[in-house]
Structure formats: C-alpha cells, structure tokens
Amino acid sequence: MQAENRTEQHTAKLSVGTLTAMVVGSMVGAGVFSLPSRFAGETGVLGALISWLVAGTGMLTLAFVFQRLAMRKPDLDSGVYAYAKAGFGEYLGFFSAFGYWASACVGNVTYWILIMSTVGAVLPALGEGDTLAAFAVSTVCVWLFYLLVRRGVKEAATINRIVTVAKVLPIIAFVLIAVFLLDVQVLMDNFEGYGITGPLFEQVRGTMLATVFVFLGVEGASVYSRHARRREDVGRATVLGFLMVLAIFASVTIVSYGILPMEELAELRQPSMAGVLEAAVGGWGAAFVSVGLIVSVLGAYLAWTLMSSEVLYVAAKDGDMPRFLARSDANDVPRSALLLTTILIQVMLLVTLVSDDAFTFALDLTSALSLIPFLLAAGYALKLAAGRGGPAHGNPTTRDLVIAVAAVLYTAFLLFAAGLTFVLLSFVIYAPATILFAMTRREQGRRVFSRGELVIFVVSVIGGLAGVVALATGAISI
C-alpha cells in the first residue's frame, strides 16, 4: 500500500491545456507535411473534400468514443488498451496494447525518415531518409531522445506543449500564403481528378490510410489519463484537439491543389508541403517549411515516445505484460518500457534500409497496426451503450449507442480500405508478440491460453505465416 501511495504521489498531474497539447502534438507531426503529394497521387479536390468529410466524421466519432468512455469508465487508465481488455478479455487487451505500442514505434520511424529526407535536399548523402548515413544520424537522435525522456514525464510534457505552439504556427502561415497565391483555374482543373486517379470511390478509399496516420493521436489524452488533474479534462482535450487538427489538415490539402497541377503535386519529393510553397514563392518557401517540419516532427516524436511507453507500463502494472515493464523511477519515467520502445524504433529503422519507399511503407504500416486497437475500443463503447459492458458511471443513452455504432462501422471500413497487404503485415508483427503474453502468464503461474484465447492465437499465427509467405514470394513488397 505504501508503494502504491508513493507511485500516486510521483504521478505528474497535467492540465486540460497540456492534455490538449498532447493530442495536437501527437497528431501534428510528419503526416501533415506529406499530405499534398499523398492526396494528389490518389484524388482531386472533390475526392479530397469527400475524404476529409468521411475521415473527419469517422474520427470525430472515435474522439467522442474516447470522451464518453473517459466519463463512463473513469477507473480505466491508458484508454486504448484498457478499453479493449475490459470489453474483450486479457488476450485481446494484450493485442491492443502491443498493436498500439508497435504502431507508435513504427510511426516514430517515419519522423526520422522525413527529417533526413528534408535535410537530404541540402546534404545528398542523406538521400530521401533511407541511406546508410541517414540511418546513422537517426540512430544517434533516437538515443538522445531516450535520454531526454528519462529526465521526467512532466518536463517532457512541458517541452511538448511549447513545441506544439511553435510547430502549428508555420503550418498556419503556409495555409494563409497558399490561399493568398491560390490560382482558381489550377484549383478547378484539379477538381475531379477523373482519368488520372480512377473512379471516385477508389480515390476516396486510396486516401484512407493517409488520413488514419495523420489522425493518430486523437486518443492521446486518454492514453495519459492517469496524469489528468480531472477525469473530465480527458474528454475535453480529445475533442478540442481533434477539431483544431482537422481544420489544419483539410486546409493544407485543399489549398495545395490551387498551386500546382495534380500530376506535379503527386511527384513532389517529401516533404511535399515544402515543394508546394517553393512553387508558390520560391526557394525561401521550401526552407521555411523545412524548418517548421523539423520542429513539428521532433515535438511529435517526443509526444509519441511518451505515449507508447505509457501503454506498455500500464499494461505491465495491470499484469498483462511482463513485470519488468512495470518499473518506474522517482521522475515517473517507465524506464524499461521506454527502453523497449527505443529498441523497436531502432529495429524498424534497420528495415527502412531495404524498403523501396521507406516513408510510405512505414506510414501505411503504422495506420494498419492502429486499426485493431481502435476497433476494439469502439466495440467496447458499443457493448457499454447496449448495456452489456458491465457497470458504468451513468446510464447509457441513445447518443452513446449512435456514436459507438458509427465508430465501429468507420474502423471496419478502414480495415477494408487498408487492404489485405497491410492486414497480413500487421499479423507478422502481432503473432510473435504473443511471447510477451506467454511470459506474463508464466510469471503468474497460469495457463498460457484459455480455449477462446487459443483460437485467437491460431488465427493470428495463420495470418502471420500468410504474411511471411507473401513477403518471401514477392506478393507483398516493402
């Protein structure tokens, strides 16, 4: 009991403003700077507007899911993982925790790729972020951030709040400059996109993984819920942060169509936002965006390192990960979880050396890995709304049910949009992770699997083997 009290005393408490900064800081990262070319390669203005309407509405339902769950189940910390466990049992809870953590680590790799690609425009040895020199520099930076986060959660969260403000301002400046210099004729020529990108439905579907990636972090406040001063601040921060970021992302995408033809936008080097502004105002525009990108990405990397380590730590505290991951120090830093997070980031950096398109591969894999945790969280909200999720704070309402159904349908559509390739690649990562689950059960002197859990394990192994075969035969390439 004394140990638990000491842990509670050491837990850093964050305000609604800082929690909102965690949401904005984790969402506004590498993705926003890649949006012009990612969208132009798939769709025109009309498709982009529909995509943001679909993605915005869908992700808003997920934001509301996390808001409602924070109010209905205030006893659950580290939202995404805890909700999956409460709704569907320990093994799927473990899958959610591991998948969310793995997606965060792979997502962090995209940040270093984009930074190295940005600097590579000046230092050719860094290429597009996938050269040996880029790998070496990224490795040094990864471990420097590891040392920074070890100084303490509260200090790191404060730095993130400052960086969030610093990185949003250049993006807003980009939008305002692009609006001022927008060519209406170019915008209208890019409106439909037919003949270049295919039927409208396929255009919209093609953008879905990109929108998932840029919206990752909408759950940031719920992941860090144990640090909130008041539980209701978690929901407020989630919705406020989401609405701010949606406005930014949609604006960046649409105004870019008014600067360059789609074909040219699609071929821009990443970060494509720099190419758009360079076309509009000259070389200083690319430099301006590049500086903003580096600040933005470093801030997002810091936020995601905090959140991914937190998920492992809370899962271990709940007895769903090995005990060594539950260790924290006097500065409230889960050191073992932080170290394992940094190691996986390092491993994924190695993978980028053999990838044909390191940035796009890491981005899409990040999105695919996050979908199962999101689907399980939405499913738990649906069970609560239907009165089948156990005791909750307050009675479920019709609004709860509508939000939960919409969130489940949206995440199911995202799995369809991701396609078989990235679902199989996700299983390649998920299946071996069961080793950690088995370690945990052995520590507790329990059977590794119940009958139902064994079925889920067999399905994941089959999916993982199918993914390995597809990689080996070239049916899936990275």
Side-chain angles (χ1 to χ4, degrees):
M1 180 63 71
Q2 290 178 347
E4 290 179 1
N5 289 338
R6 285 196 299 269
T7 300
E8 181 67 24
Q9 290 171 359
H10 286 307
T11 300
K13 294 300 180 182
L14 306 178
S15 67
V16 66
T18 301
L19 287 169
T20 302
M22 291 292 290
V23 176
V24 175
S26 55
M27 281 198 284
V28 180
V32 64
F33 293 92
S34 69
L35 286 175
S37 66
R38 286 278 292 177
F39 265 73
E42 299 288 349
T43 189
V45 177
L46 177 60
L49 289 170
I50 295 173
S51 295
W52 285 120
L53 178 62
V54 172
T57 303
M59 278 294 176
L60 183 59
T61 64
L62 277 174
F64 280 137
V65 159
F66 290 115
Q67 180 194 46
R68 309 299 283 186
L69 287 175
M71 293 187 297
R72 300 295 185 210
K73 301 295 290 187
D75 55 312
L76 297 180
D77 287 323
S78 194
V80 176
Y81 145 72
Y83 300 145
K85 177 184 175 182
F88 303 100
E90 293 180 358
Y91 190 40
L92 284 178
F94 164 82
F95 257 28
S96 181
F98 185 87
Y100 185 81
W101 170 73
S103 73
C105 294
V106 178
N108 275 359
V109 171
T110 66
Y111 298 152
W112 296 119
I113 295 172
L114 202 54
I115 288 178
M116 295 302 119
S117 177
T118 301
V119 180
V122 179
L123 300 176
L126 299 179
E128 294 191 16
D130 54 0
T131 65
L132 191 58
F135 167 79
V137 175
S138 297
T139 295
V140 172
C141 293
V142 163
W143 291 99
L144 285 176
F145 266 80
Y146 166 75
L147 295 175
L148 171 64
V149 176
R150 276 188 53 171
R151 293 179 61 87
V153 167
K154 189 172 183 178
E155 289 77 4
T158 300
I159 293 172
N160 177 73
R161 185 173 184 175
I162 296 170
V163 170
T164 296
V165 175
K167 70 184 181 181
V168 168
L169 291 179
I171 298 172
I172 294 175
F174 166 85
V175 172
L176 293 176
I177 293 172
V179 167
F180 182 75
L181 298 175
L182 185 143
D183 187 323
V184 176
Q185 186 58 51
V186 173
L187 183 70
M188 295 309 298
D189 290 342
N190 290 334
F191 188 76
E192 292 186 346
Y194 297 134
I196 298 175
T197 53
L200 186 59
F201 176 79
E202 291 301 321
Q203 293 181 39
V204 173
R205 178 184 172 184
T207 64
M208 284 296 102
L209 278 183
T211 60
V212 172
F213 180 80
V214 296
F215 279 131
L216 290 179
V218 67
E219 72 293 337
S222 66
V223 169
Y224 242 63
S225 56
R226 73 184 179 97
H227 294 274
R229 289 178 182 170
R230 296 174 300 178
R231 181 62 57 162
E232 56 267 29
D233 288 348
V234 174
R236 293 171 182 168
T238 298
V239 175
L240 180 60
F242 168 80
L243 293 175
M244 292 168 61
V245 170
L246 173 61
I248 292 172
F249 290 164
S251 298
V252 166
T253 305
I254 301 304
V255 298
S256 298
Y257 283 109
I259 302 298
L260 288 171
M262 279 179 57
E263 300 93 321
E264 295 182 32
L265 279 175
E267 295 299 321
L268 287 175
R269 173 194 178 102
Q270 295 294 4
S272 55
M273 189 191 290
V276 172
L277 201 57
E278 182 176 21
V281 301
W284 73 265
F288 175 75
V289 170
S290 297
V291 171
L293 175 141
I294 292 173
V295 173
S296 175
V297 167
L298 290 179
Y301 183 87
L302 177 60
W304 274 106
T305 301
L306 287 168
M307 287 197 295
S308 54
S309 301
E310 181 76 3
V311 169
L312 281 186
Y313 171 76
V314 173
K317 291 285 285 185
D318 287 347
D320 296 299
M321 286 282 184
R323 282 195 297 264
F324 76 92
L325 294 172
R327 300 169 187 159
S328 64
D329 59 23
N331 293 322
D332 197 28
V333 176
R335 290 199 172 188
S336 297
L338 175 62
L339 179 60
L340 191 58
T341 296
T342 307
I343 290 172
L344 181 58
I345 293 170
Q346 181 68 74
V347 170
M348 293 307 301
L349 275 173
L350 278 170
V351 175
T352 65
L353 292 176
V354 298
S355 174
D356 294 332
D357 186 346
F359 179 77
T360 300
F361 167 72
L363 185 152
D364 288 342
L365 182 58
T366 300
S367 301
L369 283 167
S370 69
L371 293 180
I372 290 178
F374 280 173
L375 181 60
L376 291 173
Y380 179 51
L382 181 58
K383 288 186 69 173
L384 277 179
R388 299 178 58 188
H393 183 71
N395 295 321
T397 65
T398 301
R399 182 183 180 188
D400 290 334
L401 183 61
V402 170
I403 289 172
V405 169
V408 168
L409 291 176
Y410 175 64
T411 47
F413 170 69
L414 290 177
L415 280 170
F416 164 74
L420 186 61
T421 296
F422 288 101
V423 172
L424 289 179
L425 283 176
S426 296
F427 278 118
V428 172
I429 295 175
Y430 272 116
T434 303
I435 294 172
L436 291 175
F437 185 77
M439 288 174 57
T440 305
R441 285 286 174 89
R442 292 297 186 189
E443 288 176 351
Q444 299 167 350
R446 301 167 59 190
R447 289 179 55 192
V448 174
F449 295 117
S450 66
R451 182 176 298 177
E453 291 169 343
L454 183 60
V455 172
I456 298 171
F457 172 67
V458 171
V459 170
S460 69
V461 169
I462 292 173
L465 290 174
V468 170
V469 171
L471 284 170
T473 59
I476 294 177
S477 62
I478 61 174

